[in-house]
Amino acid sequence: MSIIQLSQPSLQTWQGVIEQLPNWLLPAVAIIALQFNRSRLAYLAILLLAYYFCITTDQVAITELNLYSDPLLLAGALTITWFAFIKDRGLLSSHSVVRILGVILSLAVALGWIWVNTKFKITLDSYLPSMVTIEIRILTPLYICLLLAFMRGIWPSNLVNTSIFITLVLWAIHFIYPSLIPISISMTALAILYILTVLTDSYFLAYRDELTGLASRRALYNAVLSLGRKYSVAMLDIDHFKKFNDTYGHDVGDQVLKLVSSKIDQVNGNGKAFRYGGEEFTIIFPRKDVSSVILYLEEVREAIEDYDIVLRNDKRKQQTKAKRSTTQSDRKTVNVTISIGVAEHKNGETFEQTLKRSDVALYKAKKKGRNQVCV
C-alpha cells in the first residue's frame, strides 16, 4: 500500500511533464524548421501549438467535443491537406499571405459544410439515400483529405509530405477516437517526427546528389573516416560526355548521368558509389585489393556499354498516339562508355594520395583508347 502511495506522486509528476512537452517542443520545431527552410512544418507546428494551448487552458475535455458540429475537425483536415500540396517558402514573405488565406478558407469551408448539414439536415435526409447519413456527410471530406494526403506522401516520395500525412492521421484519431491517444502524446510525437524529418531531409540534401541520387563528394570524405588500411578506390568518367552534351542537349545529358549512376550504384563487391563531380564518379571498396575489384568494375563498364539509350525526336510530341506506332524510324539509339582507373591503398599514404593514383590510372585508360579499366 505504501509503495502505491509513493508511486502516485511520481506518476503525477511524469504526467505533468508529458503535458508540458508540446509547449516546449513545438516552438523548438518551428525554429528548427525555419532554419532549414521547411516553412510548412513550421506553420503546422505553430497551428498545433495554438490548438493545444486553447485545449489545455480552457480545460475542455476532448470527449465532450461534438464530432459532427465542431468545425475544427474539417478545418484542421483541410489545412493540413493544403500544406501537403504547397511548396516550402519563407515564413516572412509574400507567400505567407497565401498560406494564411488557405487556413482562413479552410475554416470557412468547414463552417459552411457543418452549417449546411445541420441547418438543412431534414431536407438533405429526404433527398439523399438513407445510407448517406449526416455522419457520412461530415466524415467524407475527411476521408478525401486522408486519401489526397496519402497520395501526396508517397508520390512523389517526400519526407515532409509523409510527415504531413501522419499529422492528418493523428488529427483524425484525435477527434474520432479521442480516448485512444492522449492529445499531449500526439503533439509530442508529431514534434519529434518533425524534428527528425527536418534533420533527415537536410542530411540527404547535404550528402546526396540531387540529380543522380548517389552519395555526394561530401559523403565520400565522410565515409573515408571509417575506412581501414586495406581498400581500393576507383575513379570513373563518362567518355566524350562534353561532346555528347553539346550534340543532344543538357536534358539528354542529365538522363545519361542518371543512367550511368544507376548502373554504377549496382556495383558488386561491397562497393560504395559516389558522384565526385560533373561526369566523374568514385567507388570505394573496403577491405578489397585491386585484383579482386577489377571483375566488379568490368561488370559495371560492360553494363553501361551494352545499354541502348533511346532518343526521341521532339516532333513526336506533336503526333497522335495512332501515328506514334507507325513512326519507329524517329527513334535513335545511342550508347555511352566509361573509362575507369583503380588504385589500391598503400601503407603510409593518405586517401587523397590513393585517389590521386586512381585518377592517374583513369587518365591512362583515356590515353589507351577509353572504355576500359586501368590500374
Side-chain angles (χ1 to χ4, degrees):
M1 189 69 173
S2 59
I3 297 177
I4 297 177
Q5 292 176 347
L6 287 173
S7 63
Q8 285 178 349
S10 177
L11 290 175
Q12 292 176 355
T13 302
W14 278 108
Q15 183 179 358
V17 171
I18 293 175
E19 290 176 352
Q20 290 299 319
L21 276 177
N23 294 325
W24 295 95
L25 289 177
L26 289 173
V29 168
I31 296 173
I32 294 173
L34 288 177
Q35 289 296 318
F36 288 91
N37 297 318
R38 295 295 177 268
S39 61
R40 291 184 293 169
L41 295 183
Y43 273 105
L44 284 176
I46 294 172
L47 292 174
L48 291 175
L49 178 63
Y51 175 74
Y52 186 73
F53 177 79
C54 294
I55 287 293
T56 53
T57 54
D58 291 345
Q59 301 295 324
V60 177
I62 304 302
T63 53
E64 296 177 1
L65 292 175
N66 192 333
L67 177 64
Y68 308 114
S69 62
D70 196 318
L72 282 177
L73 170 64
L74 291 183
L78 292 172
T79 301
I80 295 169
T81 307
W82 161 250
F83 281 114
F85 283 87
I86 60 177
K87 295 181 180 180
D88 285 303
R89 293 288 189 268
L91 185 64
L92 301 176
S93 65
S94 58
H95 299 279
S96 299
V97 177
V98 178
R99 282 148 177 73
I100 295 173
L101 289 176
V103 175
I104 296 174
L105 181 62
S106 298
L107 180 58
V109 171
L111 285 170
W113 187 253
I114 295 290
W115 181 79
V116 168
N117 281 277
T118 52
K119 182 71 175 179
F120 303 99
K121 179 182 180 301
I122 298 176
T123 304
L124 290 174
D125 288 342
S126 62
Y127 281 101
L128 295 174
S130 58
M131 65 180 66
V132 186
T133 61
I134 185 173
E135 290 82 3
I136 294 178
R137 295 198 296 270
I138 296 298
L139 293 179
T140 296
L142 173 65
Y143 296 145
I144 295 175
C145 289
L146 284 168
L147 178 61
L148 292 174
F150 173 74
M151 294 176 62
R152 186 64 175 170
I154 64 173
W155 184 81
S157 180
N158 184 292
L159 288 176
V160 176
N161 289 342
T162 302
S163 297
I164 293 175
F165 169 70
I166 295 174
T167 303
L168 183 55
V169 171
L170 290 179
W171 182 261
I173 291 175
H174 167 61
F175 277 88
I176 300 176
Y177 305 104
S179 60
L180 185 61
I181 304 176
I183 183 64
S184 58
I185 299 296
S186 297
M187 295 295 179
T188 301
L190 287 177
I192 295 173
L193 174 65
Y194 289 174
I195 293 175
L196 293 177
T197 298
V198 171
L199 296 179
T200 304
D201 205 25
S202 300
Y203 170 84
F204 277 104
L205 285 177
Y207 290 94
R208 288 282 172 180
D209 179 64
E210 185 176 2
L211 176 65
T212 63
L214 291 179
S216 63
R217 187 191 298 193
R218 180 181 295 181
L220 168 64
Y221 285 101
N222 190 47
V224 168
L225 301 176
S226 62
L227 290 175
R229 293 183 178 180
K230 183 177 181 180
Y231 61 86
S232 295
V233 181
M235 287 292 293
L236 304 85
D237 185 87
I238 303 176
D239 298 327
H240 302 295
F241 183 72
K242 185 180 184 303
K243 181 180 178 181
F244 187 93
N245 235 2
D246 294 339
T247 303
Y248 299 106
H250 292 285
D251 290 340
V252 177
D254 289 345
Q255 294 299 319
V256 170
L257 285 173
K258 292 179 182 179
L259 161 70
V260 171
S261 63
S262 66
K263 298 296 182 183
I264 292 175
D265 196 35
Q266 296 173 9
V267 63
N268 295 316
N270 198 30
K272 177 66 176 176
F274 304 84
R275 187 183 181 189
Y276 193 77
E279 67 271 21
E280 287 188 316
F281 302 86
T282 305
I283 302 178
I284 56 175
F285 294 92
R287 300 178 299 278
K288 293 285 194 306
D289 53 26
V290 167
S291 60
S292 61
V293 304
I294 290 180
L295 175 63
Y296 306 128
L297 295 173
E298 286 287 357
E299 289 177 351
V300 172
R301 184 192 63 80
E302 293 174 359
I304 295 172
E305 179 188 19
D306 296 338
Y307 192 88
D308 295 329
I309 304 173
V310 179
L311 304 179
R312 295 176 180 266
N313 193 323
D314 291 339
K315 295 180 180 179
R316 286 173 55 83
K317 297 179 180 179
Q318 303 174 358
Q319 297 174 341
T320 61
K321 293 182 179 180
K323 291 183 179 180
R324 287 181 181 180
S325 61
T326 61
T327 55
Q328 299 296 327
S329 59
D330 286 344
R331 294 189 176 187
K332 183 178 181 180
T333 302
V334 297
N335 299 88
V336 295
T337 59
I338 61 170
S339 299
I340 305 174
V342 59
E344 182 180 340
H345 176 252
K346 294 181 179 180
N347 290 332
E349 73 175 3
T350 63
F351 173 79
E352 287 77 10
Q353 291 172 324
T354 306
L355 185 68
K356 178 64 177 177
R357 290 195 296 108
S358 67
D359 197 47
V360 172
L362 172 61
Y363 182 75
K364 179 181 177 182
K366 294 281 190 181
K367 294 285 287 184
K368 291 177 65 175
R370 295 180 170 84
N371 193 24
Q372 56 187 286
V373 181
C374 283
V375 179

